[in-house]
Amino acid sequence: MARRRKIGNAIVYLILIVMSIVWLFPFIGLVLQSFRGEYGGMVNYLVPKEFSLVNYQFLFSDSSKFIRWYTNTLIIALFVALLQTLIVICVSYALSRMRFKGRKALMNIWLVLGMFPGFLTMICLYYLLKQLGLTEAGAVPGLILISVASSGMGYYVCKGYFDTIPKSLDEAAILDGATRAQILVKMIIPLSKPIIIYTALVAFMAPWCDYIFASYVAFGNENGYNVAVAMTRWVWTNDYQGYFTRFCAGGILVAIPVTILFMCLQKYYVEGVTGGSVKG
Amino acid sequence: MKKFLAIVLALCLVVALAVPAYAAGDKTLKIWVPDATKEFTEKQVATFMEAHPEYADYAVTVEAVGEGDAASNMLTDLDAGADIFNFAQDQLARLVAAGALIELSEENAAIVAEENDAGSVAAATMGDLVYAYPLTSDNGYFLYYDKSVVSDPGSLEAIVADCEAAGKGFYMEINSGWYQPAFFFGAGCTLTYDTDDTGAFTACNVDYASDAGVGALKAIVALAKSPAFHNGSSIGNATNAAAIVDGTWDSGAAKDLFGDNYACAKLPTFDLNGEAVQMSGFGGFKLLGVKPQTDEEKLALCDELALFLSSGEVQLARFEEVGWGPSNLSAKADEAVQADEALSALGEQLAFDIPQGQYPGDYWSLATALGDSVIAGDYNDADDAALLEALQSFQDTCISYAK
Amino acid sequence: MGVNAREAGPIARFFRWLGGDLGEIGASFAQGDWKSKLSFLIMGFAQLCRGQWVRGLTMLALEGGILFYVFRFGWDYLRHILTLGVVETHKQGRITVWGDNSFLILLYGLLTIVAILALVYLWRLNIRQNREAEQRLAAGKRLPTNREDLASLFDKNFDKTLLALPVTGIFVFTVLPIIFMICIAFTNYDATHQPPAKLFTWVGLENFKALFGIGGEGFGGTFFYVLGWTLVWAFFATFLTYFLGMAVAIMINKKGIKLKKLWRTILVMTIAVPQFVSLLYVGKMFASDGLVNAYLLKWGWIQQAIPFWDNALYARILIIVINLWIGIPYTMLIVTGLLMNIPAELYESARIDGANAFQTFRKITLPYMLFVTGPFLLTQFIGNLNNFNVIFLLNRGRPQSMSLSNNAGSTDLLVTWLYKMTINDSNYKIAAVIGIMVFLVTAIISLVVYNTMPSVKDEEGFQ
């Protein structure tokens, strides 16, 4: 029995090691490319012939607005994380704890709305934002507004989590004279740390990858770009030859805060997503 | 007490949308050019404004927007788009059809026609009207190669053989409607469209479904079969190139890549049914367009500024600073331009090219489909009849775009 | 007869409701005092007179605001909505005189309609409030004070407070654009009718007819080809990821495996690094001259580069595999958490019964997982049907083929194909039509599936 388990474990270790290599390989590639000193285009070897910091120096130099783009994205991500979490909590609480007319219909409609191909409506959203003056130079608040405005539909996981908190707690609190608002603030929220962190984390990560709609909204104004819009130009258009290593360096810089945050909060992320997905 | 829901709903609507659209100040002028020429353009604009104090109250901004993005942004929102913008000629028909370009005044059209090469003027013309100012005449492709690998740049078969022997790659984007005609036109086929003043396509002149077309397609298939072949014409993405079909915009990157072995030449010949024929291709152009204007004075400024930015002297300065090959006849004759290696290789090639006219957007995707089918090996074992059938369907689809 | 009666049911009910409602409005007007009567015009007037200034002021402000918006801004657009504009853009000399902008007329016209509907709703609410107030007063009861009104928003009516902002946001920035796009399907908005230089107008069902018309010339074939791949992709992307992710989680959870946290952390990196970086890089790795081919050639494992992205079958397989790279960590995390939730007694009794590892998995773990993660799987499946990023960042739907029409590629999903249509051809009208059809199909399927899921059905049972 012990022998069989040992063999089994050895196989598992082997699989895990192979998987780790496969999973880490692209990141190692990215890191190595970002330190490549010679010629900036694509190459077909992994290890640079010359290690150097030139690509990072370029990003922080005056000839690139990378810092501006990075700050833009960071601002968007922080605000979206904060406001979106707030809205998701509100919606989830209302749908999980309160019973009102039209609740089921609302949930069904929201479920269905998410299935309409989103980019078809981008041009429409662009004009709504333009009317508010939130395009071009105002792209940052504009993008925050759009992300936050529709975030109510992403309540599934959070509501699922709230559903697992026994309702008897609420009833007891109501008997003690607590209002609904007090129950949410004093009882549900403290019990829901994992799901709140999960929601905020997911919201924080999304803006880093928005390249299509964000480029609509910035409409050619470099000051309104986020990192994804700016950096995908480096690989997709002919105007930026030899920017591949810079792209990798920028990618690493983008990945760092998200990765660190993710590592630190992983425990909550797991608890949140597990607790929430019980009910979807 | 449902009211609160309704209240906030209505309140937000009102607050959000009662805010009137801020009217763009009439005294601003926006220019879109690719990143590489942004600083250059800013300098030239400053020179222009100094020479024209009558426009001193206008604030001119230059933004870095690539040619492809510029065209699609103009189509998305003309109102917020640039007043003067740089674009590649393949977008002209689309822009004219969408009403995003104002035709040149008669005087400016006459100046443009007189000072620039005929191909570039044709590229800026729809029907009878000139819609844009030619900026460059260098949007063609030729061969960059590594001297140490390629011994005979004159023949495609020899180049490919050299690359195979050295374990290096020959790069050409044969799934692009821009590079693919190098074979078809070289074999003597034609594919052009007629347009009217409004940007609509009225007729298609095409004879790909012919013996010559089949011969050209066979040559493409043979090339794609080689282990040395890679589909792509961008040096930045080529990892193992010994030879690449590419344009002047990549000359800097090519020098970086090939180092001391850098060399360039016109395109090679290819084997057409046992006979070596010269590859052809498109000679393309970059253009500068002006958006329709509602204000007399601003239109006058746009006209003058665009004419200035496309003038011979500015074209020459642009060549010196960022290496864009001029379309202006006197700038072209300049010694420095004549001496430029890449541009002279292009010049040699252009003698065999046809000036790129107007093509519907669907043509480019159709050509990608044909190229992808070749690369995927769909025609590796096809006989002449099957190839002819494929080209017939290609040709019919091309014709269907002109209505 | 019976069938007819059933069919007429909802319609009859609607008219009965409408009749009752109109009757009630009439009765409110006839029986109301002068203050309530004046409130029919000046909303909130009666409430203010009765001292309910919170209700009164909000009503008044809302009426004023909406009317201001409608007359100041919206009416200019709304009055053209039936024609979408008639004044063409024209030139005086070389000066352009802009005509009507069909796009803005439609967009802001719709907004104005929404604003007017909101006003009607508020007006009805206003009448009902006044009637209730009068009836309460007549019965000798007192009216809720301002303080009570406000307090109820944090207790009994807390759901309104919570949902007001999210619902408004979704309405303006999600529902309105969708209604707009649906309207586009009934217009001739395409490359030759682009505002502001050109007008577009209503064409009824033309586009739908055209779509079925093209059906004869290969379009239909391509549509079903793309639809087929979309379904195959969504199936594999969802379930392969799910089961392999579960397998990985079980492996890491296995007794005697050390460094559990390390393994998980390594896998989870893919979630943390933005996809536009990681997928673009991975996509380039598999190019014909990319890292993978280069090393395989160097080591002599292959003689000629493998056309990962150029061969339709390879490209499809590769996309599914790369998607595993993204998806497995996510499922792994969820399953890891859930595994701990399965009651240990279940496993205990299974072991006593002599079940082996596989049997316990099949009889206990799997059913439990499927039950609790049903909704999650459904949302994953729908998400994959519309998974734009993976396809677009990896290879943009290539390779295309002469055997497919309308620029479709072998790995194009319906969404990426639609995207190409709008971007390359500005063919908004057809994109809108296809968008609607795709939307209808997915929406109906998923609603049916969703509402029959055991874990959704007995929603209350869980609490």
Side-chain angles (χ1 to χ4, degrees), chain A residues 103-239:
Chain A
R103 172 176 165 277
K104 202 86 195 172
L106 194 68
M107 285 164 66
N108 278 338
I109 291 172
W110 283 1
L111 177 75
V112 167
L113 282 182
M115 291 168 210
F116 201 88
F119 65 85
L120 279 179
T121 60
M122 280 191 311
I123 186 167
C124 194
L125 290 174
Y126 166 81
Y127 275 97
L128 286 173
L129 283 184
K130 188 186 168 200
Q131 191 66 18
L132 302 172
L134 295 182
T135 55
E136 303 193 50
V140 171
L143 287 171
I144 296 173
L145 176 66
I146 293 291
S147 303
V148 173
S150 50
S151 57
M153 291 193 295
Y155 65 86
Y156 303 97
V157 179
C158 187
K159 173 184 173 285
Y161 194 92
F162 285 178
D163 283 348
T164 60
I165 301 173
K167 259 192 164 172
S168 51
L169 288 177
D170 296 37
E171 282 150 19
I174 288 176
L175 285 182
D176 289 345
T179 66
R180 294 285 187 178
Q182 285 165 337
I183 293 176
L184 173 62
V185 175
K186 296 210 175 121
M187 207 181 79
I188 302 284
I189 289 182
L191 280 174
S192 308
K193 200 167 154 199
I195 199 66
I196 291 170
I197 291 174
Y198 166 81
T199 311
L201 202 54
V202 171
F204 183 84
M205 291 191 306
W208 297 92
C209 201
D210 177 12
Y211 52 96
I212 292 182
F213 185 61
S215 77
Y216 258 89
V217 176
F219 207 70
N221 188 319
E222 280 192 321
N223 290 331
Y225 284 171
N226 66 10
V227 276
V229 173
M231 282 171 51
T232 47
R233 287 189 314 166
W234 294 352
V235 280
W236 280 343
T237 61
N238 267 333
D239 301 341

Side-chain angles (χ1 to χ4, degrees), chain C residues 168-180:
Chain C
T168 316
I170 288 169
F171 204 89
V172 176
F173 292 104
T174 305
V175 178
L176 182 76
I178 288 178
I179 297 175
F180 177 86

Side-chain angles (χ1 to χ4, degrees), chain B residues 103-361:
Chain B
E103 76 278 359
L104 270 59
S105 67
E106 278 175 30
E107 310 86 74
N108 281 7
I111 297 172
V112 163
E114 190 184 325
E115 290 187 350
N116 293 282
D117 62 46
S120 67
V121 179
T125 307
M126 279 300 242
D128 301 325
L129 296 174
V130 182
Y131 275 100
Y133 299 82
L135 274 192
T136 77
S137 183
D138 65 352
N139 239 22
Y141 41 86
F142 49 94
L143 186 74
Y144 289 107
Y145 64 98
D146 182 333
K147 272 190 290 206
S148 65
V149 175
V150 176
S151 53
D152 173 15
S155 149
L156 178 64
E157 290 70 27
I159 298 171
V160 172
D162 283 344
C163 292
E164 275 178 30
K168 290 284 205 166
F170 173 83
Y171 285 72
M172 179 170 182
E173 197 176 344
I174 60 166
N175 76 339
S176 150
W178 204 54
Y179 292 96
Q180 211 174 64
F183 288 93
F184 288 106
F185 294 173
C189 297
T190 41
L191 173 56
T192 57
Y193 282 87
D194 298 338
T195 54
D196 63 13
D197 288 356
T198 64
F201 292 93
T202 51
C204 177
N205 319 301
V206 54
D207 60 357
Y208 273 28
S210 59
D211 288 346
V214 170
L217 186 54
K218 269 194 212 160
I220 302 178
V221 172
L223 170 63
K225 273 185 194 165
S226 161
F229 167 78
H230 294 291
N231 180 53
S233 278
S234 162
I235 287 185
N237 287 331
T239 67
N240 188 29
I244 182 165
V245 176
D246 201 344
T248 49
W249 56 90
D250 267 359
S251 62
K255 279 173 196 153
D256 283 350
L257 181 68
F258 294 133
D260 294 340
N261 293 319
Y262 166 83
C264 53
K266 70 175 173 57
L267 292 179
T269 61
F270 70 98
D271 179 67
L272 179 74
N273 301 324
E275 186 192 342
V277 294
Q278 172 63 40
M279 283 170 102
S280 174
F282 276 131
F285 310 90
K286 292 185 181 177
L287 306 173
L288 197 62
V290 174
K291 175 173 92 166
Q293 299 291 338
T294 51
D295 181 76
E296 195 97 39
E297 191 191 31
K298 193 172 168 190
L299 179 64
L301 169 58
C302 287
D303 283 348
E304 280 189 55
L305 187 52
L307 189 66
F308 172 74
L309 289 175
S310 64
S311 67
E313 104 199 61
V314 178
Q315 284 197 16
L316 193 58
R318 192 180 285 114
F319 164 74
E320 279 157 6
E321 204 136 323
V322 287
W324 286 17
S327 63
N328 182 286
L329 294 170
S330 59
K332 264 177 123 166
D334 188 87
E335 272 174 37
V337 178
Q338 294 286 335
D340 186 87
E341 257 184 292
L343 279 182
S344 43
L346 176 67
E348 262 180 73
Q349 175 60 33
L350 283 177
F352 302 100
D353 285 0
I354 69 155
Q356 185 184 340
Q358 309 306 333
Y359 291 84

Side-chain angles (χ1 to χ4, degrees), chain C residues 306-376:
Chain C
I306 303 170
F308 286 115
W309 293 131
D310 298 322
N311 177 301
L313 184 66
Y314 291 173
R316 289 178 161 192
I317 294 174
L318 188 60
I319 282 182
I320 291 176
V321 169
I322 292 178
N323 186 65
L324 287 179
W325 182 76
I326 298 165
I328 283 182
Y330 198 74
T331 336
M332 187 266 306
L333 279 185
I334 293 180
V335 173
T336 305
L338 287 177
L339 283 176
M340 300 167 189
N341 288 359
I342 302 180
E345 310 92 71
L346 281 178
Y347 287 113
E348 205 60 44
S349 57
R351 215 182 22 239
I352 291 164
D353 291 347
N356 62 28
F358 180 71
Q359 280 167 330
T360 45
F361 171 78
R362 211 170 60 94
K363 288 273 154 63
I364 301 171
T365 318
L366 192 60
Y368 177 81
M369 289 291 168
L370 284 177
F371 177 76
V372 292
T373 56
F376 166 76

Side-chain angles (χ1 to χ4, degrees), chain C residues 157-285:
Chain C
N157 288 309
F158 193 40
D159 54 321
K160 276 102 190 167
T161 318
L162 290 175
L163 289 176
L165 217 54
V167 168
T168 316
I170 288 169
F171 204 89
V172 176
F173 292 104
T174 305
V175 178
L176 182 76
I178 288 178
I179 297 175
F180 177 86
M181 279 323 289
I182 291 173
C183 289
I184 290 294
F186 301 93
T187 70
N188 60 355
Y189 182 21
D190 61 16
T192 51
H193 297 93
Q194 290 201 73
K198 308 279 165 64
L199 297 170
F200 64 80
T201 188
W202 300 107
V203 294
L205 292 171
E206 282 300 305
N207 300 323
F208 291 87
K209 282 184 201 150
L211 188 64
F212 292 113
I214 325 172
E217 294 163 27
F219 181 86
T222 302
F223 180 81
F224 287 109
Y225 180 86
V226 177
L227 179 67
W229 159 242
T230 307
L231 292 173
V232 169
W233 145 261
F235 179 82
F236 279 110
T238 310
F239 291 99
L240 210 55
T241 313
Y242 182 70
F243 287 111
L244 289 179
M246 199 185 290
V248 173
I250 291 173
M251 274 196 285
I252 296 179
N253 251 24
K254 196 169 183 295
K255 258 189 210 148
I257 298 293
K258 290 188 183 119
L259 301 170
K260 290 185 196 301
K261 203 162 173 195
L262 175 75
W263 303 121
R264 280 182 203 135
T265 307
I266 289 174
L267 294 187
V268 158
M269 289 271 292
T270 48
I271 303 182
V273 178
Q275 287 186 352
F276 85 92
V277 178
S278 58
L279 283 182
L280 272 176
Y281 185 74
V282 172
K284 300 220 168 191
M285 265 171 49

Side-chain angles (χ1 to χ4, degrees), chain C residues 365-436:
Chain C
T365 318
L366 192 60
Y368 177 81
M369 289 291 168
L370 284 177
F371 177 76
V372 292
T373 56
F376 166 76
L377 271 178
L378 179 69
T379 42
Q380 285 293 100
F381 188 78
I382 294 163
N384 280 323
L385 284 178
N386 290 324
N387 198 331
F388 191 86
N389 264 350
V390 170
I391 305 288
F392 194 76
L393 290 172
L394 282 177
N395 73 342
R396 302 196 161 201
R398 278 195 65 230
Q400 287 180 219
S401 161
M402 284 298 284
S403 56
L404 298 174
S405 70
N406 287 58
N407 315 329
S410 310
T411 56
D412 260 328
L413 303 182
L414 282 168
V415 268
T416 54
W417 189 34
L418 269 181
Y419 181 77
K420 282 191 200 168
M421 269 190 222
T422 44
I423 291 299
N424 294 342
D425 313 339
S426 313
N427 200 348
Y428 296 101
K429 56 178 189 186
I430 291 294
V433 171
I434 301 177
I436 290 173

Side-chain angles (χ1 to χ4, degrees), chain A residues 130-133, chain B residues 12-22, chain C residues 68-69 73 108:
Chain A
K130 188 186 168 200
Q131 191 66 18
L132 302 172
Chain B
C12 289
L13 275 180
V14 172
V15 172
L17 296 145
V19 181
Y22 61 104
Chain C
F68 178 78
Y69 164 74
F73 176 83
Y108 298 139

